[in-house]
Amino acid sequence: LGQSFLQKKGSGSACYVLDCVEECVNVAAVGMKDADTEEGNIDKAVQVMANVAALQHSLPRLFGTLMRGMTHVGMIRSDQLAETFQYAEATLKGADKACDNQVGSMYSLVYEICRNKIDAHLSYALEGFSWVQKSVRDMPNAYCEGLIGYMRNVFDSLGPMDEGSRAGLHFSCCGHVSERLVRILSDRPVEEGTRSDGSLSPISKIDAYGLKNMSKDVDEFKRFATS
């Protein structure tokens, strides 16, 4: 692998084997995360996250098998048995933490992709959008339906994620949409177009019908968030 393993002092040669396995797990987790994937591809990012999580879940069994094998071939001296098992527990925790770091990194990447897609959708759909609508709509605005359709497709692709991560991403994405709507409604208007940072400018003109129609959009987002 071309890696230089840090070899700690421990109870005999078994500890050097444990050091090596811990570093190999770390290298494997980093390699999975850094593998070439299409930029902005949520499906591949989610799959990589699931792969690292699967590696993480296999660690207790891997280290248990390793310890049984080293005990069987006599690599662990009887007078150092307890010390070696304590060291194995420490290296297992180190390998688990390495995987946990990469899973967390991939989760952040998936959320960043989703957030950027949401921002891009809102910026495209609401650029030049007139909130002076002069009548009440009987359905949500088109941008709302389009964004919900995108998020539904994203959440349907999260199958490889664990339940907690899926729920967290669902909450974070819905919260981001809410924040964006609040900002374009409540922030101080600027010149037409987008801000200097590329985000959508706040609404400069809106009538009572526009507010009523936006409330329909919010109700639709709420129904989606709780579905």
Side-chain angles (χ1 to χ4, degrees):
L1 295 174
Q3 300 295 316
S4 177
F5 298 112
L6 176 61
Q7 303 212 327
K8 312 174 185 69
K9 292 183 178 180
S11 53
S13 59
C15 288
Y16 292 104
V17 174
L18 292 168
D19 287 339
C20 181
V21 172
E22 179 186 353
E23 292 296 330
C24 284
V25 169
N26 185 25
V27 169
V30 172
M32 289 180 187
K33 180 182 76 71
D34 293 341
D36 290 336
T37 58
E38 295 180 24
E39 186 176 355
N41 189 313
I42 291 179
D43 290 342
K44 288 189 176 182
V46 169
Q47 187 59 57
V48 170
M49 180 179 174
N51 293 344
V52 178
L55 173 63
Q56 184 179 22
H57 294 157
S58 73
L59 292 180
R61 189 171 186 176
L62 171 63
F63 275 77
T65 301
L66 181 63
M67 289 300 293
R68 285 194 297 272
M70 289 193 295
T71 302
H72 180 72
V73 299
M75 288 183 64
I76 303 176
R77 290 168 45 182
S78 58
D79 61 332
Q80 296 178 334
L81 191 62
E83 182 183 355
T84 305
F85 270 87
Q86 288 177 356
Y87 195 78
E89 184 69 24
T91 53
L92 171 58
K93 289 180 179 179
D96 184 80
K97 183 177 180 181
C99 289
D100 203 45
N101 289 340
Q102 302 311 318
V103 168
S105 178
M106 290 307 302
Y107 178 88
S108 298
L109 175 61
V110 171
Y111 173 60
E112 181 182 355
I113 294 172
C114 292
R115 184 187 62 200
N116 291 341
K117 294 280 189 179
I118 290 170
D119 287 346
H121 179 92
L122 286 174
S123 295
Y124 176 79
L126 295 181
E127 183 67 30
F129 188 87
S130 176
W131 288 100
V132 180
Q133 299 186 335
K134 301 181 180 179
S135 64
V136 176
R137 292 174 56 89
D138 57 0
M139 63 182 63
N141 285 298
Y143 82 90
C144 173
E145 296 178 323
L147 184 54
I148 287 176
Y150 165 73
M151 290 195 295
R152 181 174 287 114
N153 289 335
V154 168
F155 298 149
D156 287 344
S157 72
L158 301 182
M161 274 189 178
D162 63 272
E163 184 177 353
S165 296
R166 289 197 302 271
L169 191 66
H170 186 282
F171 178 84
S172 297
C173 288
C174 291
H176 184 66
V177 172
S178 174
E179 180 186 356
R180 287 300 305 273
L181 292 178
V182 169
R183 288 190 62 186
I184 66 172
L185 184 62
S186 62
D187 281 5
R188 182 183 298 276
V190 296
E191 295 181 2
E192 291 186 3
T194 57
R195 299 172 183 265
S196 59
D197 60 3
S199 62
L200 194 66
S201 295
I203 298 170
S204 58
K205 294 180 180 179
I206 187 170
D207 62 2
Y209 295 109
L211 286 171
K212 180 64 176 179
N213 292 335
M214 178 178 274
S215 73
K216 288 183 181 294
D217 299 342
V218 172
D219 289 340
E220 191 68 16
F221 282 126
K222 287 169 65 177
R223 278 192 290 272
F224 169 71
T226 57
S227 62

